[in-house]
Amino acid sequence: MEATPAPDAKNSLLKLESQLCFPFYAVSRQLTKAYQPYLQALGLTYPQYLVFLLLWEHQELTVKELGEKLLLDSGTLTPLLKRMEQRQWLSRRRDPRDERSVVVGLLPAGRALEAQVGDIPLQMLAKVNMSPAEVGALRVHLTHILAQLA
Amino acid sequence: MEATPAPDAKNSLLKLESQLCFPFYAVSRQLTKAYQPYLQALGLTYPQYLVFLLLWEHQELTVKELGEKLLLDSGTLTPLLKRMEQRQWLSRRRDPRDERSVVVGLLPAGRALEAQVGDIPLQMLAKVNMSPAEVGALRVHLTHILAQLA
DNA sequence: TAATGTTTGATTGTGCGCAATTAAATTTTA
DNA sequence: TAAAATTTAATTGCGCACAATCAAACATTA
């Protein structure tokens, strides 16, 4: 009996509310939008903020390393990094040891931005109205899904 | 003791791995990428697929209604719908009752696409390797977060 | 070493996504 | 009804995302 789905079971999978991917798509965009007021005050976009999170931690990274960590390719990163370079936030130079690689490094203005971020992460946690434990559990769950996909 | 966070507690919030939003951002893009082979076979992009999911269910919707359901504004929808109109998938016409509104309706070619979608939703479920129960629970969770944000 | 293959970024072109502005139609209010 | 406010799309401009292609640098191997 259960072997044959109900007549409209397949069709119900074609409803927007049935989709798992749409909530991801929508939440991702709404989260980015929630960052907007904070990041705009610093003149940053969300992907640029992600680049800074990595550089504040690692000082220097190649474009390849940035791409691996953010799951972005050079078609996205190269123009984005050039805009950040124009703002004197970071430097881009070829690695003398391997001229194929471009090393991205923090400049003083970029380093100084870290202090201005303040409690943005805490403000964002407040916006989603979740306990640290919930956030942690959800992040584990999402990271697991990411591993399935990437 | 717990009142004062450890010296680097605040800094740890600035690591990419600590962020909740990055997994959302990454999973959303990887999910879209996972749809790619299926949708490309139909000549569809992922946002266009979402529009079809709504139109297959409702036949006709205004741009405003589409925007409310997908959380997208006219700056995104208008050019997207025009591209779909060029393909003869749908029609766009002003509502005679209220000339401010544009009604989007399925055309035969758009209706015919529904049959070609086949088991894409099932294939996608297989890709994330989750049980229907897990998917349902996660969707509820995400929808709740979405309500907090939007 | 010379030829072949691989790695790494850059470039190009298309399609979102969204803030800000504009314009037209409608509704509300004085 | 006339004026003001609101609603609804369209437009403009910018910044991602990403597929596809290209070119240069490096590594491998015959």
Side-chain angles (χ1 to χ4, degrees):
Chain A
M1 301 247 189
E2 301 276 271
T4 306
D8 58 348
K10 188 185 162 193
N11 277 347
S12 76
L13 287 178
L14 281 183
K15 289 185 181 175
L16 187 66
E17 316 117 33
S18 315
Q19 304 294 313
L20 176 60
C21 50
F22 174 68
F24 276 110
Y25 168 75
V27 167
S28 174
R29 287 186 294 113
Q30 298 302 308
L31 274 175
T32 300
K33 224 179 277 187
Y35 270 99
Q36 252 285 104
Y38 305 107
L39 296 183
Q40 185 170 325
L42 306 180
L44 279 174
T45 65
Y46 178 67
Q48 290 171 6
Y49 175 67
L50 294 181
V51 168
F52 266 131
L53 288 183
L54 288 169
L55 287 179
W56 288 330
E57 190 175 356
H58 296 102
Q59 315 303 320
E60 281 194 348
L61 289 168
T62 65
V63 173
K64 176 182 167 61
E65 288 167 331
L66 284 170
E68 284 172 351
K69 290 173 189 294
L70 298 175
L71 303 180
L72 293 171
D73 72 3
S74 68
T76 301
L77 285 175
T78 296
L80 183 154
L81 294 171
K82 282 183 175 174
R83 282 186 288 271
M84 296 177 77
E85 186 184 30
Q86 282 182 348
R87 300 251 208 156
Q88 315 273 353
W89 282 335
L90 50 78
S91 61
R92 298 183 328 120
R93 54 184 168 70
R94 293 280 167 182
D95 183 346
R97 297 162 182 272
D98 186 340
E99 292 278 348
R100 291 172 302 181
S101 296
V102 169
V103 178
V104 178
L106 274 179
L107 291 181
R111 220 180 302 273
L113 263 187
E114 184 174 11
Q116 298 195 45
V117 167
D119 55 357
I120 292 181
L122 287 175
Q123 301 266 4
M124 289 300 301
L125 283 176
K127 282 206 186 188
V128 296
N129 197 24
M130 291 169 65
S131 72
E134 273 183 301
V135 169
L138 183 53
R139 190 170 55 230
V140 167
H141 200 157
L142 299 190
T143 304
H144 180 253
I145 293 174
L146 197 55
Q148 295 279 327
L149 290 171
Chain B
M1 301 241 188
E2 301 276 85
T4 306
D8 59 347
K10 188 184 160 194
N11 277 345
S12 75
L13 287 178
L14 280 184
K15 289 186 180 173
L16 186 67
E17 315 117 33
S18 315
Q19 305 293 313
L20 177 60
C21 50
F22 175 67
F24 276 110
Y25 167 75
V27 167
S28 174
R29 288 185 294 114
Q30 297 304 307
L31 273 176
T32 300
K33 224 179 277 188
Y35 270 99
Q36 252 285 104
Y38 304 107
L39 297 183
Q40 185 170 327
L42 306 181
L44 279 174
T45 65
Y46 178 67
Q48 290 171 6
Y49 175 66
L50 294 180
V51 168
F52 267 130
L53 288 182
L54 288 169
L55 288 179
W56 288 330
E57 189 175 357
H58 296 103
Q59 315 303 319
E60 280 194 348
L61 289 168
T62 64
V63 172
K64 176 183 167 63
E65 288 167 331
L66 284 170
E68 284 172 351
K69 290 173 188 294
L70 299 175
L71 304 180
L72 292 171
D73 74 2
S74 67
T76 301
L77 285 175
T78 296
L80 183 153
L81 294 170
K82 282 182 175 174
R83 281 187 288 271
M84 295 177 78
E85 186 184 31
Q86 283 181 348
R87 300 252 207 156
Q88 315 273 352
W89 283 335
L90 49 79
S91 60
R92 298 181 329 120
R93 53 182 169 74
R94 294 277 166 183
D95 182 345
R97 298 161 181 273
D98 186 339
E99 292 278 346
R100 293 172 302 182
S101 295
V102 169
V103 179
V104 178
L106 274 179
L107 293 182
R111 220 180 303 273
L113 262 187
E114 183 174 11
Q116 299 196 43
V117 167
D119 55 358
I120 291 181
L122 287 176
Q123 301 266 2
M124 290 300 301
L125 283 177
K127 281 207 185 187
V128 296
N129 198 23
M130 291 167 66
S131 73
E134 273 183 301
V135 169
L138 183 54
R139 190 170 54 229
V140 168
H141 201 158
L142 299 189
T143 304
H144 180 253
I145 293 175
L146 197 54
Q148 295 280 327
L149 291 171

